[in-house]
Amino acid sequence: MYSKIIGTGSYLPEKILTNHDLERMVDTSDEWIRERTGIVQRHIAADGQMASDLALEASRRAIDAAGIQAQDIDLIILATTTPDMIFPSTACILQDKLGISGGGPAFDVQAVCSGFIYALATADMFVSSGKCRNALVVGTEVYSRILDWTDRTTCVLFGDGAGAVVLTQSNQPGILSSHLHASGSYNKVLAAPGNICGGKIQGSPFITMEGNTVFKFAVKVLEEAVSEAITANNLQASDIDWLIPHQANIRIIKSTAKKLGIPMEKVVTTVDQHGNTSAASVPLALDIAVRDGRIKSDQCVVLEGVGGGFTWGAVLLRW
Ligand code: ACO
């Protein structure tokens, strides 16, 4: 038995923050941000709008597209770095907001920007093994809450948003393989290192990053993960119809595609409009390419991501 995606959905908060808006907040320029990252604008959640609220909208759209009812969902795996609270999990809060009572398991996955890849690979194991029938897999982020808006080296890079898919049992090929990796020795290179102790935040609650190290590592491991997926399925790079990369930076995306020999016409990019939405970026890009008709039945699609940890991975599927 396979697991297959039968519905996708996404949601972006209404408020848009452009590079020109950022020029008024920190010492930066539209030109610098576009050239170094490809980002033009990003969406920012409203005050009080939580990761679960964004996830709810994206999930409703995915469930509608799948043609099922929320009550049919018997597994929720939600990837986020910006949960509503320490506990309970944002997955449990989402389950409640969807009105699912007496449901199957619901839990969060924390793998930062690789979160959706990790969540999808995990859901595939539940669904393809027959343990669950309909999984809701979500990536949702309110990164605007953990950015230092006076630090130009990080605040220009990220945005808020959510994406979701419904994964169901199928006799037809869907997810063909997944490949997950981590290298914890890099845990300090990209982090939001703060923690709560005695009711107070200890250390910085904001994102800290060694940009150049992240850049080089990302290109290397993304090429390796996608190649691993292609080889595992006895395919060639030319067999890939669509590459859906984590949307961190257009230069990382282009470098990876070039190393893989995949032309940019086959790469879905949203980083210009969304910025880096971490765990939400891959399902957001996937939903956009499904809804505008680019991704068609029986096509071969590879999703890939890399993020803090470091964590990275790829999922290869037949649409
Ligand atoms: N506006 C203007 N100037 C800036 C800004 C800014 N927003 N940020 C940094 N600069 C300056 C620096 O201070 C530096 O100035 P200096 O030469 O006077 O010292 C100059 O620009 C060059 O800085 P670098 O860090 O060398 O610039 P680089 O070309 O490496 O680009 C960037 C920086 C965009 C962060 C790049 O390293 C990158 O994309 N790294 C990947 C990081 C990433 O994607 N992180 C997201 C999370 S991880 C993930 O999702 C995979």
Side-chain angles (χ1 to χ4, degrees):
M1 182 154 22
Y2 294 97
S3 77
K4 196 170 177 73
I5 295 173
I6 57 163
T8 65
S10 61
Y11 177 77
L12 290 156
E14 269 175 40
K15 183 179 168 189
I16 290 173
L17 188 72
T18 66
N19 293 347
H20 293 296
D21 294 328
L22 282 162
E23 284 174 348
R24 289 188 284 277
M25 296 162 64
V26 287
D27 181 15
T28 192
S29 67
D30 175 52
E31 192 190 1
W32 192 96
I33 301 171
R34 278 182 200 242
E35 268 180 17
R36 304 288 176 125
T37 71
I39 300 167
V40 176
Q41 62 169 47
R42 68 287 290 145
H43 292 249
I44 303 291
D47 288 348
Q49 201 173 25
M50 309 299 278
S52 65
D53 297 316
L54 275 50
L56 178 64
E57 298 301 331
S59 300
R60 281 185 176 143
R61 291 170 192 182
I63 291 167
D64 273 358
I68 63 169
Q69 304 296 314
Q71 201 60 43
D72 300 327
I73 299 290
D74 57 0
L75 168 67
I76 298 177
I77 306 184
L78 183 147
T80 190
T81 313
T82 48
D84 287 17
M85 53 187 79
I86 295 172
F87 74 85
S89 70
T90 307
C92 282
I93 296 169
L94 174 64
Q95 190 201 52
D96 178 47
K97 288 185 176 176
L98 283 166
I100 302 172
S101 52
F107 58 92
D108 286 1
V109 163
Q110 165 57 298
V112 202
C113 302
S114 316
F116 183 78
I117 302 292
Y118 267 59
L120 189 61
T122 309
D124 170 51
M125 291 179 214
F126 277 89
V127 175
S128 61
S129 66
K131 295 261 183 232
C132 291
R133 182 172 290 275
N134 294 308
L136 177 65
V137 188
V138 187
T140 182
E141 299 285 10
V142 283
Y143 254 60
S144 56
R145 308 269 158 78
I146 57 167
L147 293 174
D148 176 353
W149 289 101
T150 65
D151 175 10
R152 68 176 183 174
T153 67
T154 51
C155 76
V156 302
L157 302 175
F158 297 92
D160 300 337
V165 304
V166 173
L167 196 67
T168 198
Q169 290 175 354
S170 168
N171 294 324
Q172 302 300 317
I175 291 183
L176 295 175
S177 68
S178 53
H179 309 268
L180 303 181
H181 298 279
S183 191
S185 59
Y186 289 91
N187 71 78
K188 292 189 176 64
V189 171
L190 175 61
N195 66 76
I196 293 175
C197 181
K200 292 195 180 118
I201 296 167
Q202 315 268 310
S204 171
F206 299 123
I207 290 176
T208 58
M209 181 182 77
E210 291 172 28
N212 284 317
T213 309
V214 175
F215 192 102
K216 284 183 205 140
F217 190 88
V219 174
K220 177 178 175 293
V221 298
L222 289 175
E223 190 267 327
E224 286 171 4
V226 175
S227 293
E228 186 185 354
I230 290 171
T231 305
N233 291 282
N234 295 316
L235 298 171
Q236 309 288 328
S238 54
D239 295 317
I240 305 304
D241 294 299
W242 292 106
L243 178 66
I244 311 207
H246 168 49
Q247 309 285 320
N249 179 313
I250 195 66
R251 292 188 299 144
I252 293 177
I253 294 172
K254 282 185 177 166
S255 302
T256 308
K258 192 173 170 193
K259 280 180 102 175
L260 287 163
I262 297 177
M264 281 305 287
E265 297 74 50
K266 291 183 168 186
V267 181
V268 177
T269 60
T270 55
V271 66
D272 56 332
Q273 298 301 303
H274 302 169
N276 181 347
T277 57
S278 191
S281 92
V282 170
L284 257 163
L286 174 65
D287 181 51
I288 281 165
V290 167
R291 284 178 190 260
D292 69 18
R294 267 179 286 176
I295 298 180
K296 296 185 174 56
S297 179
D298 207 37
Q299 286 189 325
C300 185
V301 179
V302 181
L303 316 177
E304 48 94 320
V306 58
F310 282 127
T311 56
W312 67 99
V315 174
L316 190 146
L317 52 95
R318 178 80 46 201
W319 193 254

